[in-house]
Amino acid sequence: MAAAAILPELATQVLIPVAAAVGIAFAVVQWVLVSKVRLTPERHADGGGAAKSGPSDYLIEEEEGLNDHNVVVKCAEIQNAISEGATSFLLTEYKYVGLFMGIFAILIFLFLGSVEGFSTKSQPCHYSKGKTCKPALANAIFSTIAFVLGAVTSLVSGFLGMKIATYANARTTLEARKGVGKAFITAFRSGAVMGFLLAASGLLVLYIAINLFGIYYGDDWEGLFEAITGYGLGGSSMALFGRVGGGIYTKAADVGADLVGKVERNIPEDDPRNPAVIADNVGDNVGDIAGMGSDLFGSYAESSCAALVVASISSFGINHEFTPMVYPLLVSSVGIIACLITTLFATDFFEIKVVNEIEPALKKQLIISTVVMTIGIALISWLGLPYTFTIYNFGAQKTVQSWQLFLCVAVGLWAGLVIGFVTEYYTSNAYSPVQDVADSCRTGAATNVIFGLALGYKSVIIPIFAIAFSIFLSFSLAAMYGVAVAALGMLSTIATGLAIDAYGPISDNAGGIAEMAGMSHRIRERTDALDSAGNTTAAIGKGFAIGSAALVSLALFGAFVSRAAISTVDVLTPKVFIGLIVGAMLPYWFSAMTMKSVGSAALKMVEEVRRQFNTIPGLMEGTTKPDYATCVKISTDASIKEMIPPGALVMLTPLIVGILFGVETLSGVLAGALVSGVQIAISASNTGGAWDNAKKYIEAGASEHARTLGPKGSDPHKAAVIGDTIGDPLKDTSGPSLNILIKLMAVESLVFAPFFAAHGGILFKWL
């Protein structure tokens, strides 16, 4: 047998929790630094201008109004309203989701327990012939516990992310008075708090679960890691509801606010006279922050679970080599450290002084984290893996060397960077694709829509080649395990990716607060610059999420096929082909549901905003306040009601297909959904992102070309707003939710595979 890994088991057992603890500590430090920005005005004896000594001195730097207490009080009030709205929505959502979680946990237990008729006797192992493994009942109990753990971690990470974002938004606005650099650091630090908390807690909970489950399972690693897959299922099922519910909420408010406010009434974005403005800002936090957090946590949990399942039936698991067995966790541990180093480049080593340095600074984060991580992977592959080992490959064992596994992780990591940059090229208004879309607004909304759709379809080409190359290389080198660790490689810099992603909605909120608090035009320009860069980085984040989802679901698909004992998936058999064609339809059905939900919720919102403008005297003059609460209620009610059907579609499809048609048809459904879902997700996200930035390009008027299309309120600008409004549900509801659809169906099929293999395919048995 080949030599063992260099890193001893004890060192591994220490390294993983220490890396997670460092990540959490770093998040806390960033949070403390953000909280130093005061949200309470300085108390002075006479409240007048005489007492300007002491802490408020440094504020009087650039322009009037820096020591204006009213502005600070207003910012604090608005922040409070946004925070309360977001908290009450998430708590309402979690009530419904918690009920679903309970029902689904019972289902997992009943289905998996019934595989051997709830027997408590040990059973022969599925893969290691001649050995006995723990009973199916144990797998049912532990899979259920893992599911609940994953679900709770996912909900908590989304909720904490939202809390941090609503804590930081007004602080970013206030820092913008001192210059764009200060505001950028505040927004970025807050994003980093979320990124590191989520990456570290996801790793820590998984590590603790493996060790605790191991007390019962002992030497039965096959059973242990099969039960752990419930963790991924829990994480992703919550992410689906978070993404869909949050996406419907934010876009109903956004579309309502834009159509009536900007197009009909000609008032600026985030104007306090607009009744939907608070709902719009709340939506940024519940959709883009809480939803995105849960989504990437789900991807991370699933890619780790997929890799661990395959490893447990490879030489690592058979020979009980702990260090190489938890190689996926070691990769994530190194990722946290690599991202920590990267973050310091944005917050401490370099300072942003002018607006056009923002986007390059965020792009550098991606490049630096990728380079540092490549070195980290090389190190951990050398220390944590034996030189040669075997990997389970559909019934056979394939001999692999440690450098080949390093290449698999690295190809995933670099493919992620390629996808990120291609996304940026197609969605940033610094490049010709978005400028062409903006230019097409000259002739109205129709040409804008045509150009935008074409851009989205075109933007799929290079990411798909990048994903295809990663799959081919990693599968050739290390079979399905290679694909799983490639997905993990793409997600290994998740802390930086999330920091960049959360930065966008925080900046967006900061701009909204500046407008509502009546701050000067210059401050709004700074927050707009932060927000425009944030739009692009949000699109990059979605690109990462979609690319990793494709790799993750393929790895889970491979694990499912092995577990369900399917020798080959033959497309030419009618059983598989009908699955394939139905699976390819599912993303369209799902998108139709989510788009229609946004449309009908937006319809109610538009009617309410119009009603208030028409019936509340003095609203347009700004002498009376609009009724914000009604708009918040419309968004909340619509999203809670409308998130159930799309969620049910995704969660029930694998169960219905597996039970009625069996594992071959289900394997077809998974392959079909993966292939079509990835394409729609990328094109929808990029089309929406491009329309949004085309509108911002015209509004900013930063170039000669942009000025010929503007100013705000011109016909090209109105056409751009319409494009942006159509793109909203595409980029923030349907697109990002699709990556959860393809992962979730695959992980669910894997968790229920023992049941489907034993009792599935009722219809075909009768026929």
Side-chain angles (χ1 to χ4, degrees), residues 295-315:
D295 178 6
L296 279 175
F297 165 76
S299 278
Y300 163 74
E302 283 161 336
S303 56
S304 303
C305 292
L308 291 166
V309 166
V310 182
S312 69
I313 48 177
S314 303
S315 64

Side-chain angles (χ1 to χ4, degrees), residues 61-273:
E61 272 179 28
E62 276 191 31
E63 55 183 281
E64 316 307 305
L66 264 175
N67 53 336
D68 184 352
H69 295 182
N70 296 341
V71 166
V72 182
V73 173
K74 254 188 185 167
C75 285
E77 275 173 13
I78 298 162
Q79 180 202 39
N80 210 19
I82 294 171
S83 183
E84 278 173 15
T87 307
S88 77
F89 168 71
L90 285 183
L91 293 177
T92 313
E93 180 184 69
Y94 291 170
K95 271 185 212 153
Y96 288 88
V97 168
L99 180 70
F100 159 80
M101 188 166 85
I103 295 167
F104 210 76
I106 295 165
L107 273 185
I108 293 174
F109 175 72
L110 293 176
F111 275 54
L112 295 181
S114 67
V115 172
E116 299 285 331
F118 295 98
S119 137
T120 51
K121 287 202 278 294
S122 291
Q123 55 179 14
C125 293
H126 181 74
Y127 297 103
S128 313
K129 304 292 179 228
K131 283 187 182 173
T132 52
C133 285
K134 299 287 184 200
L137 188 64
N139 183 28
I141 294 167
F142 281 100
S143 290
T144 309
I145 295 170
F147 169 77
V148 173
L149 265 181
V152 171
T153 312
S154 180
L155 293 182
V156 169
S157 43
F159 189 76
L160 285 177
M162 179 281 295
K163 275 294 186 202
I164 292 152
T166 52
Y167 183 80
N169 51 17
R171 287 172 166 80
T172 305
T173 311
L174 293 177
E175 286 293 272
R177 299 180 307 173
K178 300 181 217 163
V180 76
K182 292 263 197 273
F184 170 80
I185 287 182
T186 305
F188 190 80
R189 280 195 203 283
S190 317
V193 177
M194 180 187 176
F196 283 91
L197 263 186
L198 196 136
S201 57
L203 174 66
L204 195 59
V205 176
L206 183 57
Y207 169 78
I208 293 169
I210 290 170
N211 277 305
L212 291 181
F213 286 17
I215 297 169
Y216 169 80
Y217 276 100
D219 280 350
D220 175 15
W221 283 17
E222 184 185 306
L224 164 63
F225 290 103
E226 191 170 296
I228 286 286
T229 51
Y231 185 67
L233 176 61
S236 246
S237 53
M238 297 304 109
L240 178 73
F241 290 107
R243 255 302 188 200
V244 174
I248 293 168
Y249 185 108
T250 176
K251 291 303 115 180
D254 199 357
V255 170
D258 280 1
L259 279 182
V260 185
K262 282 157 81 172
V263 177
E264 292 177 11
R265 295 279 167 170
N266 228 345
I267 57 175
E269 190 160 359
D270 297 315
D271 191 296
R273 292 171 291 177

Side-chain angles (χ1 to χ4, degrees), residues 293-657:
S294 292
D295 178 6
L296 279 175
F297 165 76
S299 278
Y300 163 74
E302 283 161 336
S303 56
S304 303
C305 292
L308 291 166
V309 166
V310 182
S312 69
I313 48 177
S314 303
S315 64
F316 305 150
I318 296 162
N319 304 321
H320 295 96
E321 301 169 56
F322 184 78
T323 301
M325 182 63 227
V326 293
Y327 176 70
L329 300 189
L330 287 170
V331 169
S332 305
S333 306
V334 173
I336 290 174
I337 307 302
C339 291
L340 195 153
I341 296 165
T342 310
T343 303
L344 295 176
F345 277 93
T347 55
D348 297 86
F349 299 159
F350 297 109
E351 195 186 340
I352 284 179
K353 291 188 177 65
V354 288
V355 164
N356 55 11
E357 287 176 7
I358 301 170
E359 216 166 290
L362 293 166
K363 274 163 66 179
K364 275 183 200 140
Q365 285 286 296
L366 288 176
I367 297 168
I368 296 165
S369 63
T370 304
V371 172
V372 174
M373 190 60 205
T374 308
I375 300 161
I377 296 165
L379 196 65
I380 210 72
S381 304
W382 174 57
L383 293 173
L385 294 169
Y387 183 64
T388 54
F389 43 91
T390 63
I391 294 287
Y392 183 86
N393 180 21
F394 299 121
Q397 291 281 354
K398 177 183 173 79
T399 305
V400 180
Q401 293 177 335
S402 55
W403 63 268
Q404 291 173 306
L405 215 48
F406 157 70
L407 276 183
C408 294
V409 186
V411 76
L413 178 66
W414 284 90
L417 188 67
V418 169
I419 292 171
F421 277 159
V422 170
T423 309
E424 193 236 1
Y425 173 70
Y426 280 106
T427 56
S428 166
N429 53 27
Y431 303 104
S432 62
V434 170
Q435 291 172 9
D436 290 346
V437 171
D439 192 61
S440 70
C441 294
R442 286 174 194 284
T443 48
T447 40
N448 180 24
V449 171
I450 294 166
F451 268 73
L453 287 172
L455 176 144
Y457 298 148
K458 196 175 173 188
S459 71
V460 175
I461 301 167
I462 298 171
I464 291 295
F465 277 121
I467 293 168
F469 177 73
S470 320
I471 291 169
F472 181 77
L473 188 73
S474 50
F475 193 91
S476 308
L477 293 173
M480 270 304 167
Y481 187 67
V483 178
V485 293
L488 204 66
M490 203 177 272
L491 289 165
S492 59
T493 52
I494 183 173
T496 295
L498 259 173
I500 289 175
D501 210 74
Y503 154 87
I506 292 169
S507 305
D508 192 352
N509 258 210
I513 291 171
E515 183 76 47
M516 284 185 271
M519 291 168 108
S520 76
H521 179 61
R522 281 172 59 188
I523 292 175
R524 183 70 222 225
E525 272 180 2
R526 286 171 197 162
T527 55
D528 273 353
L530 292 170
D531 179 24
S532 180
N535 257 343
T536 305
T537 55
I540 293 173
K542 286 171 195 140
F544 265 92
I546 296 163
S548 62
L551 295 174
V552 169
S553 56
L554 182 62
L556 291 164
F557 174 68
F560 162 72
V561 168
S562 303
R563 184 61 188 85
I566 306 170
S567 47
T568 52
V569 179
D570 184 357
V571 182
L572 293 175
T573 54
K575 266 187 200 178
V576 176
F577 193 81
I578 57 165
L580 197 66
I581 203 159
V582 169
M585 173 274 294
L586 286 173
Y588 289 92
W589 188 359
F590 178 83
S591 296
M593 281 178 159
T594 49
M595 297 279 287
K596 187 143 189 294
S597 300
V598 172
S600 55
L603 201 66
K604 288 188 194 124
M605 187 67 79
V606 167
E607 283 167 357
E608 173 58 24
V609 175
R610 275 184 189 154
R611 183 194 70 75
Q612 291 198 28
F613 273 124
N614 293 333
T615 59
I616 299 178
L619 184 56
M620 270 308 278
E621 292 72 37
T623 52
T624 45
K625 268 190 167 180
D627 173 9
Y628 297 129
T630 308
C631 292
V632 171
K633 190 176 182 327
I634 288 175
S635 262
T636 304
D637 294 349
S639 51
I640 298 291
K641 187 170 117 254
E642 303 277 2
M643 74 181 180
I644 311 289
L649 173 73
V650 178
M651 300 299 287
L652 296 177
T653 300
L655 292 178
I656 294 167
V657 174

